[in-house]
Amino acid sequence: MTITVSYQDKIAILNLGDDENRFSLGFLDDINGAIDDLVAGGAQGLVTTGAGKFYSNGLDLDWLMAHGDQMQSYVGRVHALFARVLTLPIPTAAAVNGHAFGAGAMLAMAHDYRTMRSDRGFFCFPEVDIRIPFTPGMAALIQAKLTPQAAIASMTTGRRFGGDDAAKYGIVEAAAAEDAVVPAAVELVIPVAGKDSQTMAAIKATMFGPAIAALQAE
């Protein structure tokens, strides 16, 4: 399954796919193309989700192992996606339907809001356990969205948060049943849908200036 976009009124629902939804080069092309289209088409909000077991398992580590000489350009593309979602001129919410690990969890962090399935799936930054330190840009993104306590609890431990646990720490706004994760995300977006896009983009650029600068510096 490839990336697809459907609409609920003027809220775009972008489905990342039904596999691990890792950030392959094709995935990065597809998600950016989909965002281009929905913004140009006048979407007033964006909800991203997956189908099945995963929201996203993050970086395409198999590809990276085979193409180590391209690591810098690849990570740059991933950072660019995070910065783009962080500053979209419309309200955004990640409806975390299943596992969100590493860069997949960071993609969810780049959204304005997050909901998560309460009965299945983990939200996890496993970097400490897989011995891959956060880049400054990734760390800045996460820390721009979490309290210091939640950042310590998630970034230094490799802890796997279920939906209710993630909500308790403020990592997600709400945990919901499987069939309510996307509707709950839509409900978070609707009250701010239709705000002036230029103003919203400018506000986000100012709010997240340090994180954006860190993401663009690498």
Side-chain angles (χ1 to χ4, degrees):
M1 177 177 174
T2 56
I3 288 172
T4 59
V5 178
S6 58
Y7 283 84
Q8 182 173 323
D9 295 324
K10 292 189 176 182
I11 308 301
I13 315 293
L14 188 156
N15 194 305
L16 300 172
D18 61 1
D19 55 18
E20 291 190 21
N21 305 329
R22 289 186 180 268
F23 296 178
S24 67
L25 297 182
F27 177 95
L28 293 170
D29 288 340
D30 289 348
I31 192 170
N32 277 299
I35 292 172
D36 287 342
D37 292 344
L38 65 90
V39 171
Q44 293 185 359
L46 169 65
V47 170
T48 65
T49 193
K53 187 176 179 180
F54 296 93
Y55 175 78
S56 173
N57 242 357
L59 300 182
D60 189 346
L61 297 177
D62 289 340
W63 184 89
L64 264 180
M65 288 179 65
H67 300 85
D69 60 320
Q70 299 181 51
M71 178 176 291
Q72 185 173 356
S73 62
Y74 173 76
V75 172
R77 289 197 63 186
V78 172
H79 283 181
L81 174 62
F82 294 160
R84 185 179 194 188
V85 175
L86 195 60
T87 57
L88 277 174
I90 53 177
T92 60
V96 182
N97 57 290
H99 299 311
F101 273 67
M106 294 174 209
L107 176 62
M109 279 284 114
H111 292 66
D112 298 326
Y113 311 105
R114 285 154 296 284
T115 61
M116 185 175 174
R117 184 172 167 178
S118 57
D119 63 329
R120 185 178 180 184
F122 292 113
F123 192 103
C124 177
F125 299 122
E127 281 73 10
V128 70
D129 290 326
I130 61 176
R131 300 183 181 183
I132 300 178
F134 296 95
T135 66
M138 291 173 175
L141 165 64
I142 298 166
Q143 289 175 278
K145 295 301 185 81
L146 296 181
T147 65
Q149 293 86 352
I152 289 289
S154 58
M155 295 175 70
T156 67
T157 64
R159 179 173 172 175
R160 298 184 176 196
F161 293 84
D164 292 332
D165 206 18
K168 184 178 76 172
Y169 275 85
I171 295 170
V172 302
E173 273 65 35
E178 179 183 9
D179 60 356
V181 174
V182 171
V186 171
E187 287 302 312
L188 289 171
V189 168
I190 284 175
V192 281
K195 302 285 187 184
D196 180 75
S197 60
Q198 288 186 324
T199 305
M200 180 169 284
I203 289 172
K204 289 184 182 183
T206 302
M207 284 178 67
F208 303 120
I212 296 162
L215 287 165
Q216 294 176 341
E218 300 166 61

